[in-house]
Amino acid sequence: MHGTGNGRAGKRRAFAGTDTGRKKRRGKRERFEVRTDLALESREGAERAGKAPGGIAFREWERMGISFTEVEVKNGQGEKALGKPPGIYLTLEAGGLGEKDERCHRDAAEQLAVQIRRLAEQALGREEGQGFPHVRILAVGLGNPYVTPDSLGPRVLGNLQMTRRIAEDGDRPLLSGIVPGVMAQTGMETAEILRGIIGETEPDLVIAIDALAARSLRRLGTTIQLTDTGIHPGSGVGNHRHGLTRKTLGIPVLSVGVPTVVGAPAIALDTVAAVAAVLERESRTKGIGKWMEEMGAEEQHQLVREVLGPELGQLYVTPPDIDETIKLFSFTISEGIHRAFYGI
Amino acid sequence: MHGTGNGRAGKRRAFAGTDTGRKKRRGKRERFEVRTDLALESREGAERAGKAPGGIAFREWERMGISFTEVEVKNGQGEKALGKPPGIYLTLEAGGLGEKDERCHRDAAEQLAVQIRRLAEQALGREEGQGFPHVRILAVGLGNPYVTPDSLGPRVLGNLQMTRRIAEDGDRPLLSGIVPGVMAQTGMETAEILRGIIGETEPDLVIAIDALAARSLRRLGTTIQLTDTGIHPGSGVGNHRHGLTRKTLGIPVLSVGVPTVVGAPAIALDTVAAVAAVLERESRTKGIGKWMEEMGAEEQHQLVREVLGPELGQLYVTPPDIDETIKLFSFTISEGIHRAFYGI
Amino acid sequence: MHGTGNGRAGKRRAFAGTDTGRKKRRGKRERFEVRTDLALESREGAERAGKAPGGIAFREWERMGISFTEVEVKNGQGEKALGKPPGIYLTLEAGGLGEKDERCHRDAAEQLAVQIRRLAEQALGREEGQGFPHVRILAVGLGNPYVTPDSLGPRVLGNLQMTRRIAEDGDRPLLSGIVPGVMAQTGMETAEILRGIIGETEPDLVIAIDALAARSLRRLGTTIQLTDTGIHPGSGVGNHRHGLTRKTLGIPVLSVGVPTVVGAPAIALDTVAAVAAVLERESRTKGIGKWMEEMGAEEQHQLVREVLGPELGQLYVTPPDIDETIKLFSFTISEGIHRAFYGI
Amino acid sequence: MHGTGNGRAGKRRAFAGTDTGRKKRRGKRERFEVRTDLALESREGAERAGKAPGGIAFREWERMGISFTEVEVKNGQGEKALGKPPGIYLTLEAGGLGEKDERCHRDAAEQLAVQIRRLAEQALGREEGQGFPHVRILAVGLGNPYVTPDSLGPRVLGNLQMTRRIAEDGDRPLLSGIVPGVMAQTGMETAEILRGIIGETEPDLVIAIDALAARSLRRLGTTIQLTDTGIHPGSGVGNHRHGLTRKTLGIPVLSVGVPTVVGAPAIALDTVAAVAAVLERESRTKGIGKWMEEMGAEEQHQLVREVLGPELGQLYVTPPDIDETIKLFSFTISEGIHRAFYGI
């Protein structure tokens, strides 16, 4: 086991209920937060934890049956609260996406196109409605094509029509694309591969497509997230080690993703919460549930690590029809990208 | 939700600790047992539950660094205890299998061949060492080729050399094979497809290859199970609805499998157990942990269903390098089958 | 071109052939015909050969920019002339299909649906416009999924929604489907597999999808053929040995195909014709070209076999962008089938 | 049509048989030579044409049942004669490779390893037997993974174990790898992608794996070619536009390939030669065959273009069992590479 000593000690302190122990735990809370790639869920988590969401703007609206949620992380305070770097995180959700309703997916493609266009215009400092003449876009299909829930990016790339080297005379945007593979397949960081290609082909904008990890099972295959902040270390199904951001790649990076897995630790933590609730309901154990709820992230994560074993925090949970989900969303996203840059 | 009312009532009774409540739970225990396709794990579960494993023979041995465990379910009593129909369940385990050690996999292929030969001889009523002249074998690659942890069967089939229709004049065994797909792809039960093909091509023996669900994470990609009892309803990653057995197909059915997933409910139940252990360690909560441990399968499963939601018991947990595992074992198993019937 | 009556005479003179020789050759004529799966091309061949197309009805029309050609082989006379069994062979052609124009493909799907509905109604003896309540349809994706130009059938199957076992209560048609694989993968004839499945699941109609071999390069990826006569021995890219017809399967068989390859012998024969034409243009060799043209199918095929070598008549010619062609047509055909049976 | 005017004129001159015409043709001969990626075949072609193979060294030997042929292009003269840049072109041939004999493939892997080691040592200026401590190797899997005969490179990459980023502390060679895709998929030249990656990751050596085009059908799936000259424009199944050489990439480039296709023009030219031979056999046409043989490459190619049509020179011929061939050779080559750098 790993670090049992400290963990145990921490728990005992927690049990004693000293303020010191509690603060320490709270300070470490982010570190232990179960991973989600959805800013929406990070915000929910922060709210549940009673945090005032300072440095964060939040907007919700609906169009064509699709719910939009925009979380804007405005500064370091917001970044700290959500564990996500500053920028825009936009979520499209609709019941029909999960039910594989084709019309709903078509509407989502159209709405996604509108939003990609908006974020791309902002990222490139262009005025609205100008279009993207001569703009060079590099699409990146992240993930492992041979692992179904990680194959969203490669599948989207397979649906895109690359126009660079074909349409170079015109004034339309020029699309190129790459499926870099994962480190086990290449022996290289994705950031290394992309930096190299960007240096050689000089695109203006990267649009990265990746399968995401959610915190909640009900997000799987029901949500599309679009951001202008790129891909961050530890995100994605494959758990990228290095970021793909304007800072690391030198040009703006939009990213589009769909949650296809939930990390196995999330299941365990949800179980702890459910046990706590049950204990709280019973008169004999009343108080203990509350204590468990309050025992804090550190102890709970300690528990989870004991359950899952040392190396196995990498495990993920995914539904059996994930291949259908991936297939459907890969069309929705590729159509969204095409429409964003080339119209209908 | 599903029967929460009763469930709650049951739990309250359990809490009151009446004998009636307890017996009731015990009677339902099997129904709630978290699924494992490994008889080895069923036996471990029965032992943990303190059941005398009546009607079961158990043998362990080692060869070439591989641990063999043979569970023989001898009769209805054994079937009831393990939830597996009568027959032989043989497990090959070795550390090197999980570490992707090629030499270990080669040894496992050789040992698997020996055991396939033995079970095939028994199933066909042939004497040892006679070989299989003119015997017609139908290999069946179960599972969904497009969902990585379910693709073991189709991948093994891709490695087999089919000899029926090529070598019909000689006296060697004749191998044919099919990848029937899953019901969402075909609209047909696998049993329907196989019964049809068997009726038309009249093989003597089916050998079915399938990815399995284990109870414990540490079995993933470390174990091969060989049985002479076929495939049973509810088993496999894809969760077959109908059995593929001598009874349903009319000819003997060997099956070979490797655990590639653990059902998500298992993670939740392990977490409950870990919480109970933690509570038992603390003086303030001593007794409550024990109570939780004893609260029985029904309440625990009730909890788990609350955590995972109604339809989501289908969710599975799988490691991120599952594609490598599948690839490696698909060679080991296909080589084992080739050697069993054609020698080296 | 090949095998005109006059040619025979010329050849005999050239090679001092006897009458006996002539009869022998004529008897073998069909055997030497370069293979095409398109009845349209067989008819063109027959017309070029100056054959009166007795026993054949021919219709052409156009709708939505798509050219329809219907060849109806009415009896044994027509069968002899075209080398295709009696039935309807309908071809949809459009420039936009080859140019991968999406709108054109959508129109083709719609028109294909109308025609599938018509042929299915006729095959099932139903009146027009009744729809297909309770009708059970088995879709069959012929070909090898791992060989790109042979993968049309498997890809179409991957796009179909199977409704059998899901919608059995309603009165809509019930679709099931199978990708049987090729004999090298299964050790079984496709006809064996299908007879078995049909016996077990009792569909009313088979609709088989297969990649086709054309005679002319310009048909590759520009044409869809729909027939009510099933699949015949020697047809398809994979060159089926046994037919899949009402006679062999016991129920009506529609088939839909797209030419994705041209047999290598066709290239050689076209070259012979081109050489002959060149020789005929030159005064020094005038007469020799004509003689070559007239030398007849047997000698020409003899030549071709010398060029290609004995086993290599199996070789095929295919364009480098065949993967794109297959992908696009697989959507067009699956949409055509869906619309035919379920409306839009 | 394509340059018919000139072509016709050329032919007329050819027919008139003037020396001028003939010289002109001869001057253009290379340009018209049907493409082969095998230096062995280029040399055969040059020999047939009666060229003194100046600037070329040629060696043949045999080991373990494998025939080795080494063509060394020593200088510009040799380059002109063979149409291949200076360097070593080594061919391994064995009947067993084509017959899918596993033992033969294993022997070939071993011999390939020896030769890769030799060429890598030379390319890196290392002494024999030193091994490759700390040497960084970038493996490149050229070709389109979705087009079967072009998928050799991607498949080999799938079999390689990448050690860069894992074993960086030791002194073993460090392997990284990339499947760059084809330009239709990426909108980028492979050379652009590789230059970028090389600039960023600084390997010492590239080893590129690619499916090749042969001139003769009998080379398909029977031959492995290893060179130290990289990949040249117009080579490979996918017909690379830009070279991947020490000059374009800045580091030495070994390449390994297997012929999986023959260009369709080769079939047509072979047919012309066969027709010529037939004509020469007959007394009536004696002399014309010889004339045809002598009519030279230009006229023959003109013919071929007429047969195949303008854009269709891209068409290729491939056998129906190409998927099996690719699979088998992908193991042989990946094992050869592993052994070359890591021993057995």
Side-chain angles (χ1 to χ4, degrees), chain A residues 54 58 60-61 77 108 145 159 175 188 225 236 245 329:
Chain A
F58 184 73
E60 288 180 296
W61 70 97
Q77 191 192 355
N159 296 334
L175 188 61
M188 300 181 278
Q225 180 176 265
T245 62
F329 276 92

PDB file of all heavy atoms in Angstrom, chain A residues 54 58 60-61 77 108 145 159 175 188 225 236 245 329:
ATOM      1  N   GLY A  54     -16.238  32.201  -6.424  1.00  0.00           N
ATOM      2  CA  GLY A  54     -15.615  33.457  -6.829  1.00  0.00           C
ATOM      3  C   GLY A  54     -14.754  33.270  -8.059  1.00  0.00           C
ATOM      4  O   GLY A  54     -14.165  32.205  -8.269  1.00  0.00           O
ATOM      5  N   PHE A  58     -21.259  32.231 -14.713  1.00  0.00           N
ATOM      6  CA  PHE A  58     -22.056  31.056 -15.019  1.00  0.00           C
ATOM      7  C   PHE A  58     -23.291  31.503 -15.779  1.00  0.00           C
ATOM      8  O   PHE A  58     -23.972  32.443 -15.363  1.00  0.00           O
ATOM      9  CB  PHE A  58     -22.446  30.386 -13.693  1.00  0.00           C
ATOM     10  CG  PHE A  58     -23.184  29.102 -13.869  1.00  0.00           C
ATOM     11  CD1 PHE A  58     -22.530  27.961 -14.296  1.00  0.00           C
ATOM     12  CD2 PHE A  58     -24.550  29.035 -13.620  1.00  0.00           C
ATOM     13  CE1 PHE A  58     -23.218  26.773 -14.460  1.00  0.00           C
ATOM     14  CE2 PHE A  58     -25.239  27.848 -13.783  1.00  0.00           C
ATOM     15  CZ  PHE A  58     -24.566  26.719 -14.210  1.00  0.00           C
ATOM     16  N   GLU A  60     -26.715  29.959 -18.212  1.00  0.00           N
ATOM     17  CA  GLU A  60     -27.457  28.826 -18.748  1.00  0.00           C
ATOM     18  C   GLU A  60     -28.477  29.332 -19.757  1.00  0.00           C
ATOM     19  O   GLU A  60     -29.080  30.383 -19.541  1.00  0.00           O
ATOM     20  CB  GLU A  60     -28.217  28.108 -17.627  1.00  0.00           C
ATOM     21  CG  GLU A  60     -27.358  27.322 -16.672  1.00  0.00           C
ATOM     22  CD  GLU A  60     -28.206  26.652 -15.604  1.00  0.00           C
ATOM     23  OE1 GLU A  60     -28.844  27.369 -14.816  1.00  0.00           O
ATOM     24  OE2 GLU A  60     -28.217  25.415 -15.569  1.00  0.00           O
ATOM     25  N   TRP A  61     -28.682  28.609 -20.815  1.00  0.00           N
ATOM     26  CA  TRP A  61     -29.790  28.924 -21.728  1.00  0.00           C
ATOM     27  C   TRP A  61     -30.173  27.665 -22.496  1.00  0.00           C
ATOM     28  O   TRP A  61     -29.559  26.612 -22.336  1.00  0.00           O
ATOM     29  CB  TRP A  61     -29.427  30.079 -22.662  1.00  0.00           C
ATOM     30  CG  TRP A  61     -28.392  29.786 -23.711  1.00  0.00           C
ATOM     31  CD1 TRP A  61     -28.606  29.451 -25.014  1.00  0.00           C
ATOM     32  CD2 TRP A  61     -26.965  29.836 -23.547  1.00  0.00           C
ATOM     33  NE1 TRP A  61     -27.425  29.283 -25.672  1.00  0.00           N
ATOM     34  CE2 TRP A  61     -26.389  29.512 -24.804  1.00  0.00           C
ATOM     35  CE3 TRP A  61     -26.108  30.115 -22.464  1.00  0.00           C
ATOM     36  CZ2 TRP A  61     -25.014  29.454 -25.010  1.00  0.00           C
ATOM     37  CZ3 TRP A  61     -24.736  30.045 -22.689  1.00  0.00           C
ATOM     38  CH2 TRP A  61     -24.201  29.729 -23.940  1.00  0.00           C
ATOM     39  N   GLN A  77      -8.553  32.871  -8.915  1.00  0.00           N
ATOM     40  CA  GLN A  77      -9.477  32.463  -7.855  1.00  0.00           C
ATOM     41  C   GLN A  77     -10.443  31.393  -8.377  1.00  0.00           C
ATOM     42  O   GLN A  77     -10.660  30.353  -7.760  1.00  0.00           O
ATOM     43  CB  GLN A  77     -10.264  33.701  -7.401  1.00  0.00           C
ATOM     44  CG  GLN A  77     -11.072  33.477  -6.130  1.00  0.00           C
ATOM     45  CD  GLN A  77     -12.052  34.633  -5.881  1.00  0.00           C
ATOM     46  OE1 GLN A  77     -12.070  35.630  -6.606  1.00  0.00           O
ATOM     47  NE2 GLN A  77     -12.860  34.472  -4.849  1.00  0.00           N
ATOM     48  N   ALA A 108     -27.795  19.271 -32.432  1.00  0.00           N
ATOM     49  CA  ALA A 108     -26.605  19.529 -31.626  1.00  0.00           C
ATOM     50  C   ALA A 108     -25.417  19.894 -32.512  1.00  0.00           C
ATOM     51  O   ALA A 108     -24.618  20.776 -32.176  1.00  0.00           O
ATOM     52  CB  ALA A 108     -26.269  18.299 -30.777  1.00  0.00           C
ATOM     53  N   PRO A 145      -7.197   4.636 -30.797  1.00  0.00           N
ATOM     54  CA  PRO A 145      -8.252   4.135 -31.680  1.00  0.00           C
ATOM     55  C   PRO A 145      -8.672   2.693 -31.370  1.00  0.00           C
ATOM     56  O   PRO A 145      -9.744   2.285 -31.778  1.00  0.00           O
ATOM     57  CB  PRO A 145      -7.636   4.231 -33.077  1.00  0.00           C
ATOM     58  CG  PRO A 145      -6.204   4.566 -32.903  1.00  0.00           C
ATOM     59  CD  PRO A 145      -5.985   5.045 -31.511  1.00  0.00           C
ATOM     60  N   ASN A 159     -13.817  11.248 -40.023  1.00  0.00           N
ATOM     61  CA  ASN A 159     -14.971  11.827 -40.718  1.00  0.00           C
ATOM     62  C   ASN A 159     -14.688  13.197 -41.327  1.00  0.00           C
ATOM     63  O   ASN A 159     -15.540  13.728 -42.032  1.00  0.00           O
ATOM     64  CB  ASN A 159     -16.142  11.999 -39.742  1.00  0.00           C
ATOM     65  CG  ASN A 159     -16.637  10.676 -39.204  1.00  0.00           C
ATOM     66  OD1 ASN A 159     -16.488   9.640 -39.849  1.00  0.00           O
ATOM     67  ND2 ASN A 159     -17.231  10.695 -38.019  1.00  0.00           N
ATOM     68  N   LEU A 175      -8.006  22.968 -43.662  1.00  0.00           N
ATOM     69  CA  LEU A 175      -8.033  22.014 -42.556  1.00  0.00           C
ATOM     70  C   LEU A 175      -6.991  20.922 -42.769  1.00  0.00           C
ATOM     71  O   LEU A 175      -6.906  20.312 -43.833  1.00  0.00           O
ATOM     72  CB  LEU A 175      -9.434  21.384 -42.463  1.00  0.00           C
ATOM     73  CG  LEU A 175      -9.732  20.503 -41.256  1.00  0.00           C
ATOM     74  CD1 LEU A 175      -9.597  21.284 -39.955  1.00  0.00           C
ATOM     75  CD2 LEU A 175     -11.137  19.921 -41.371  1.00  0.00           C
ATOM     76  N   MET A 188       6.160   8.701 -27.591  1.00  0.00           N
ATOM     77  CA  MET A 188       6.303  10.161 -27.576  1.00  0.00           C
ATOM     78  C   MET A 188       5.098  10.786 -26.887  1.00  0.00           C
ATOM     79  O   MET A 188       3.990  10.266 -26.963  1.00  0.00           O
ATOM     80  CB  MET A 188       6.395  10.709 -29.007  1.00  0.00           C
ATOM     81  CG  MET A 188       7.591  10.160 -29.788  1.00  0.00           C
ATOM     82  SD  MET A 188       7.728  10.839 -31.470  1.00  0.00           S
ATOM     83  CE  MET A 188       6.562   9.786 -32.363  1.00  0.00           C
ATOM     84  N   GLN A 225     -18.807  18.849 -24.409  1.00  0.00           N
ATOM     85  CA  GLN A 225     -18.154  20.026 -23.830  1.00  0.00           C
ATOM     86  C   GLN A 225     -17.219  20.656 -24.862  1.00  0.00           C
ATOM     87  O   GLN A 225     -16.442  19.955 -25.514  1.00  0.00           O
ATOM     88  CB  GLN A 225     -17.357  19.680 -22.568  1.00  0.00           C
ATOM     89  CG  GLN A 225     -16.662  20.926 -21.965  1.00  0.00           C
ATOM     90  CD  GLN A 225     -15.939  20.646 -20.650  1.00  0.00           C
ATOM     91  OE1 GLN A 225     -16.461  20.841 -19.582  1.00  0.00           O
ATOM     92  NE2 GLN A 225     -14.722  20.150 -20.760  1.00  0.00           N
ATOM     93  N   GLY A 236      -8.881  13.639 -20.055  1.00  0.00           N
ATOM     94  CA  GLY A 236      -9.123  12.667 -21.116  1.00  0.00           C
ATOM     95  C   GLY A 236      -9.153  11.260 -20.552  1.00  0.00           C
ATOM     96  O   GLY A 236      -8.740  11.010 -19.418  1.00  0.00           O
ATOM     97  N   THR A 245      -2.031  23.223 -24.826  1.00  0.00           N
ATOM     98  CA  THR A 245      -2.641  24.523 -24.603  1.00  0.00           C
ATOM     99  C   THR A 245      -1.908  25.568 -25.427  1.00  0.00           C
ATOM    100  O   THR A 245      -0.872  25.285 -26.029  1.00  0.00           O
ATOM    101  CB  THR A 245      -2.528  24.929 -23.121  1.00  0.00           C
ATOM    102  OG1 THR A 245      -1.117  25.033 -22.807  1.00  0.00           O
ATOM    103  CG2 THR A 245      -3.142  23.867 -22.207  1.00  0.00           C
ATOM    104  N   PHE A 329     -21.688  10.178 -31.745  1.00  0.00           N
ATOM    105  CA  PHE A 329     -21.096  11.476 -31.419  1.00  0.00           C
ATOM    106  C   PHE A 329     -19.971  11.843 -32.380  1.00  0.00           C
ATOM    107  O   PHE A 329     -19.698  13.012 -32.602  1.00  0.00           O
ATOM    108  CB  PHE A 329     -20.592  11.499 -29.972  1.00  0.00           C
ATOM    109  CG  PHE A 329     -21.657  11.815 -28.968  1.00  0.00           C
ATOM    110  CD1 PHE A 329     -22.385  10.822 -28.361  1.00  0.00           C
ATOM    111  CD2 PHE A 329     -21.957  13.137 -28.651  1.00  0.00           C
ATOM    112  CE1 PHE A 329     -23.376  11.105 -27.435  1.00  0.00           C
ATOM    113  CE2 PHE A 329     -22.948  13.444 -27.732  1.00  0.00           C
ATOM    114  CZ  PHE A 329     -23.666  12.422 -27.115  1.00  0.00           C
TER     115      PHE A 329
END
